[in-house]
Amino acid sequence: MSENRAVGGHDFDVPYVETPPLEASAPFTARTSADGRRVIVEGHCPRCQGRTVSELPRGVPGGRGATKGVLSRLSGRERRGGAPDPAAEVLSSEVFFCECGYAHPQQPADVSFMGCGASWRAVAPADGGSGR
């Protein structure tokens, strides 16, 4: 990590490089938004260590983070009362991208996510929950 450009653990000097999905070593948390329409996933990018927040829509067929509960029922990740836990399901099924909000060196002008280019599969908190 760069000594003079790392702030709060975020290494601003990491050049932009699109990566195949990395394995995140620090846990991410997921919670359902107040209106119940999105799942909000928070954590730190495993490459640049910047704080990243992703909001994923719920219930849109074929949409990122979409679920009708089938995966939950098949995998046993179902809440009491039979309703799937969408936050836990998103943590285990999605690939996330660095959205630290910082334009890293060598970042192309037409990128979809403002960050270092990393992608990863999230790790749930040690208690196995969604961190909500």
Side-chain angles (χ1 to χ4, degrees):
M1 226 186 264
S2 175
E3 292 289 328
N4 55 354
R5 297 275 298 164
V7 177
H10 188 172
D11 190 347
F12 297 101
D13 288 335
V14 169
Y16 181 91
V17 174
E18 292 183 12
T19 67
L22 304 169
E23 193 66 37
S25 57
F28 279 72
T29 60
R31 61 184 166 81
T32 301
S33 65
D35 64 8
R37 295 181 182 193
R38 297 174 318 256
V39 175
I40 301 166
V41 179
E42 300 179 67
H44 287 86
C45 170
R47 189 160 175 267
C48 74
Q49 302 305 311
R51 183 174 177 273
T52 183
V53 178
S54 300
E55 291 190 23
L56 309 166
R58 283 190 49 210
V60 179
R64 193 169 165 222
T67 177
K68 291 190 177 220
V70 175
L71 181 60
S72 295
R73 285 190 289 280
L74 292 174
S75 66
R77 285 189 309 264
E78 202 165 21
R79 287 190 287 182
R80 289 183 193 163
D85 181 354
E89 192 167 294
V90 165
L91 271 179
S92 66
S93 64
E94 290 292 326
V95 172
F96 296 92
F97 300 89
C98 181
E99 295 183 66
C100 69
Y102 182 76
H104 283 264
Q106 303 169 17
Q107 181 176 353
D110 62 344
V111 296
S112 299
F113 301 99
M114 184 69 75
C116 72
S119 64
W120 62 86
R121 294 205 176 273
V123 175
D127 64 5
S130 61
R132 291 179 297 135

